[in-house]
Amino acid sequence: MRGKLTVGNWKMHGGLTENAGRLAALAKGWHATAGRTLAVCVPFPYLAQAREVLSGSEVGWGAQDVSSHAAGAYTGEVSGAMLADFGCRFAIVGHSERRQYHGERDETVGAKARAALAAGVTPIACVGETLAERDAGTTGEVVERQLGAVVDALGADLARIVVAYEPVWAIGTGRTATPEQAQQVHAALRRRMQQAGARDVPLLYGGSVKAANAAALYAMPDVDGGLVGGASLDANELLAIARS
Ligand code: 13P
């Protein structure tokens, strides 16, 4: 039984005052529910705040990126051990916005996933095709290549990660993949993970998830939860998604 995992990705939004209300609302509104897990991935400067407000609650927290290096002269980077220091349970790696705007390559994503795991932080490895790739009929090929780099980097540790399928054309566009479209890709990801020996890795869907569409997506057999961007900035909306 894999249960449902909902992770909010605040992206580059928030501020101390605004976060305080949002985090408190999550801590207060979320109660341990069998088979349901909720976490938020906040910008690095607010990890301490997330830890302070969410400690003792049932809501987990994490970061939106992690360095592929353990330590050293890497200006601006944040290591897995630093995330662990702040109690992070998760680190998103390979988000399409990192791939698109920061030139992150498949191999780097694999290395970041490995670095997170080495520090005891669970990587949420993102894959997903652009609209042009979907229209060209190469969705399967693209996600297979992206996931393959993570599989190659992790070996037996693959079973300890989370994978998120986020079609780029559905991110922040209000255009969600249909539950069937999501399921089709998730089924392929599941097969690939199982071939690699990772049977029960949670497969999240991301891309314009909101309370109004989460239940239909979560009803799909291979959709184990959601990675939620815009809607995660509204605590009540995120809580409603997590209860879907
Ligand atoms: P939206 O939910 O805003 O479409 O963003 C999805 C996403 O990128 C989560 O990582």
Side-chain angles (χ1 to χ4, degrees), residues 9 11 95 97 166 170-173 206-209 227-231:
N9 172 11
K11 307 194 179 182
H95 192 281
E97 287 149 17
E166 297 205 313
I171 295 178
T173 59
S208 299
V209 176
L227 185 54
V228 185

Side-chain angles (χ1 to χ4, degrees), residues 2 143 147 165 179-195 203 220-224:
R2 285 184 300 267
V143 300
L147 187 64
Y165 168 56
E180 293 72 25
Q181 282 174 323
Q183 169 58 27
Q184 191 179 21
V185 176
H186 281 229
L189 294 173
R190 179 84 66 210
R191 279 193 299 275
R192 182 70 180 87
M193 293 300 279
Q194 289 182 342
Q195 271 167 16
L203 303 179
M220 294 290 116
D222 289 301
V223 175
D224 305 318

Side-chain angles (χ1 to χ4, degrees), residues 45-138:
Y46 301 127
L47 285 172
Q49 187 185 22
R51 178 175 63 166
E52 189 184 314
V53 181
L54 298 178
S55 289
S57 83
E58 298 292 332
V59 183
W61 61 94
Q64 299 169 15
D65 190 21
V66 63
S67 177
S68 58
H69 304 285
Y74 302 104
T75 302
E77 292 278 274
V78 175
S79 72
M82 293 171 186
L83 300 186
D85 259 352
F86 284 87
C88 285
R89 181 161 164 200
F90 298 105
I92 297 171
V93 297
H95 192 281
S96 63
E97 287 149 17
R98 303 272 341 151
R99 295 178 190 262
Q100 187 177 351
Y101 307 128
H102 302 276
E104 218 159 89
R105 294 151 46 86
D106 294 337
E107 294 68 30
T108 312
V109 177
K112 287 185 170 193
R114 196 168 51 219
L117 278 177
V121 176
T122 299
I124 300 176
C126 301
V127 300
E129 82 287 5
T130 63
L131 187 58
E133 288 163 341
R134 172 160 283 261
D135 288 345
T138 57

